[in-house]
Amino acid sequence: QAKLVESGGGLVQAGGSLTLSCAASGIIFTNNLMGWYRQAPGKQREKVAPIFSGGATNYHDSVKGRFTISSDNAKNTIELQMNNLKPEDTGVYYCAVSRFPTVMHSATSYWGQGTQVTVSS
């Protein structure tokens, strides 16, 4: 019954902004590692912006200063504000909630279906 639904993706020109939202149901945020991941065609899925239960973050170097992750445990939502987007940011963005505090594995985490982000030159 657990479900994550992403929204907010789309097509934007380089330098533009998008806000991604993730709505969770059937999940209670307690001591979970959560965050946003992305996958470009032909590439491995990569960490973009995780957030730990204490609020600490570990942004990928390529998005530092441009992306901001936030979570609201009371509303079971996770957001990703993306500014100054670049063509290399293009990919499918996934919301994820781990069942554990410090690891994110496909077998032990909840994943959304993804939302497409395309940044044109």
Side-chain angles (χ1 to χ4, degrees):
Q1 193 172 357
K3 185 178 181 180
L4 299 175
V5 180
E6 302 97 334
S7 63
L11 174 64
V12 65
Q13 292 184 336
S17 299
L18 286 173
T19 299
L20 305 184
S21 297
C22 174
S25 61
I27 305 171
I28 300 175
F29 296 166
T30 54
N31 193 29
N32 308 86
L33 169 62
M34 306 180 291
W36 288 90
Y37 297 72
R38 68 187 179 192
Q39 185 170 23
K43 297 183 179 180
Q44 298 274 359
R45 183 178 298 180
E46 66 180 359
K47 176 175 61 180
V48 176
I51 183 167
F52 296 85
S53 61
T57 59
N58 187 24
Y59 296 101
H60 191 280
D61 286 344
S62 68
V63 308
K64 288 182 178 177
R66 300 189 296 120
F67 291 11
T68 302
I69 187 173
S70 62
S71 64
D72 188 330
N73 290 357
K75 297 182 179 180
N76 276 15
T77 58
I78 310 168
E79 291 74 46
L80 183 68
Q81 177 65 49
M82 306 186 295
N83 298 321
N84 300 317
L85 284 161
K86 303 176 180 180
E88 50 263 44
D89 293 320
T90 294
V92 178
Y93 283 68
Y94 298 90
C95 174
V97 177
S98 177
R99 299 176 186 177
F100 302 98
T102 60
V103 296
M104 185 72 75
H105 291 162
S106 61
T108 56
S109 302
Y110 301 104
W111 295 84
Q113 292 298 112
T115 184
Q116 177 70 44
V117 172
T118 303
V119 184
S120 62
S121 300

